[in-house]
C-alpha cells in the first residue's frame, strides 16, 4: 500500500510541475489579451475526469466549479485560482469579445492545415489535442453561423463550433488525453493574436478536405 501511495504522489507531482507555467499563461490570456478564462476540472493521473460524470467525454478539459459564467480577465482572480489549483487546465470562455473556434478531428485537421498553408491562407492560432485541432476565429453570432452553414451544400458533421456560451481548453494545460499544445502558436508580443473570420475558415477547411479527398469522420 505504501508503494502504491508513493507512486501516486510521484504522478501527482509530475502533473504539478506545470503550475508556474499555467498561471503565467492564464495571466497572459486574461490581462494582456483580454480573453476571459477560468480553471477547468483536472483529470487524475489515469486520465479520469475529476467531475462527477463517470462517462465524461472531455476529461480534464471543461469547466465545472466554477461554472463557465465565472470566466474573467481580472488578474487577482486568475492568480487566486491558479495559486490554489496549480494544475487546473486553462479554459477559455469563447464568444463575446473573446475568440471563438472551429474544431475537427486531428487527422483531417492536419490535412486541411497543410492544404491551407500551400494556398498561402493566413490563419490564427491553432490548438491541438491528441484527438482534435481547433482553429481560433473571430467572435460570431448564432445567426451568422446558421446562415453560413445553410449556404453550404455539405459540412462534415464532425466539425464543432465553439461560440457564444462555449469553451475551449488552452495550452499548456493537460487533459485526460494528455498535452494540449499549440499546433500554430500565437506570434510573440503583448497584443491579442490576430484571428480570421469564421466564414473564411469554414470555407477553406471544407474546400481543403474536399480537394484532398480527406473526409472528417463523424466523431
Amino acid at each position: 500500500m505504501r508503494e502504491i501511495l508513493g507512486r501516486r504522489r510521484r504522478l501527482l507531482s509530475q502533473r504539478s510541475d506545470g503550475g508556474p507555467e499555467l498561471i503565467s499563461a492564464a495571466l497572459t490570456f486574461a490581462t494582456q489579451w483580454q480573453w476571459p478564462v477560468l480553471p477547468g476540472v483536472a483529470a487524475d493521473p489515469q486520465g479520469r475526469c475529476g467531475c462527477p460524470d463517470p462517462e465524461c467525454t472531455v476529461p480534464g478539459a471543461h469547466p465545472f466549479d466554477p461554472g463557465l459564467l465565472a470566466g474573467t480577465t481580472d488578474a487577482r482572480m486568475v492568480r487566486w485560482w491558479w495559486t490554489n489549483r496549480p494544475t487546473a487546465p486553462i479554459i477559455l470562455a469563447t464568444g463575446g469579445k473573446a475568440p471563438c473556434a472551429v474544431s475537427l478531428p486531428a487527422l483531417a485537421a492536419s490535412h486541411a492545415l497543410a492544404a491551407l498553408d500551400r494556398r498561402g491562407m493566413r490563419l490564427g492560432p491553432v490548438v491541438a489535442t491528441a484527438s482534435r485541432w481547433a482553429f481560433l476565429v473571430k467572435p460570431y453570432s448564432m445567426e451568422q453561423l446558421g446562415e453560413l452553414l445553410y449556404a453550404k451544400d455539405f459540412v462534415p458533421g464532425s466539425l464543432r463550433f465553439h461560440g457564444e456560451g462555449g469553451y475551449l481548453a488552452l495550452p499548456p494545460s493537460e487533459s485526460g488525453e494528455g498535452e494540449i499544445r499549440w499546433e500554430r502558436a500565437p506570434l510573440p508580443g503583448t497584443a491579442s493574436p490576430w484571428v480570421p473570420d469564421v466564414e473564411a475558415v469554414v470555407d477553406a477547411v471544407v474546400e481543403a478536405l474536399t480537394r484532398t479527398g480527406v473526409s472528417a469522420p463523424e466523431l
Side-chain angles (χ1 to χ4, degrees):
M1 181 61 147
R2 183 174 300 169
E3 175 61 29
I4 293 173
L5 288 175
R7 180 172 180 272
R8 180 174 176 82
R9 288 194 188 100
R10 288 195 298 274
L11 288 169
L12 289 172
S13 174
Q14 289 169 6
R15 280 186 173 264
S16 299
D17 289 344
E21 188 179 9
L22 282 169
I23 193 170
S24 175
L27 285 168
T28 295
F29 301 146
T31 63
Q32 294 185 19
W33 298 355
Q34 292 296 292
W35 292 2
V37 298
L38 68 155
V41 57
D44 69 15
Q46 285 72 44
R48 295 185 297 260
C49 193
C51 75
D53 182 3
E55 304 298 327
C56 181
T57 57
V58 283
H62 69 90
F64 174 62
D65 183 18
L68 186 61
L69 292 179
T72 184
T73 59
D74 182 76
R76 291 173 299 177
M77 194 72 244
V78 170
R79 286 186 185 279
W80 187 85
W81 275 333
W82 272 274
T83 297
N84 288 278
R85 298 166 60 179
T87 63
I90 303 169
I91 303 297
L92 168 68
T94 55
K97 295 182 179 180
C100 295
V102 177
S103 70
L104 63 160
L107 179 59
S110 67
H111 285 281
L113 183 58
L116 299 181
D117 283 343
R118 288 193 295 270
R119 289 173 49 187
M121 180 177 172
R122 185 184 182 191
L123 291 170
V126 178
V127 176
T129 69
S131 62
R132 297 186 72 84
W133 292 8
F135 296 73
L136 296 190
V137 298
K138 291 179 182 176
Y140 56 80
S141 66
M142 292 305 295
E143 292 78 12
Q144 181 183 5
L145 179 62
E147 291 176 1
L148 171 63
L149 298 182
Y150 182 77
K152 288 286 178 193
D153 292 329
F154 171 73
V155 176
S158 59
L159 282 184
R160 294 179 188 166
F161 298 91
H162 310 255
E164 184 74 33
Y167 62 87
L168 184 71
L170 295 175
S173 305
E174 289 273 345
S175 73
E177 287 189 305
E179 176 191 17
I180 298 173
R181 61 181 177 80
W182 296 113
E183 175 62 29
R184 184 66 50 85
L187 295 176
T190 58
S192 181
W194 179 88
V195 292
D197 292 327
V198 66
E199 293 92 343
V201 169
V202 172
D203 288 348
V205 165
V206 172
E207 181 182 352
L209 293 176
T210 302
R211 284 176 176 268
T212 57
V214 176
S215 61
E218 306 295 313
L219 296 178

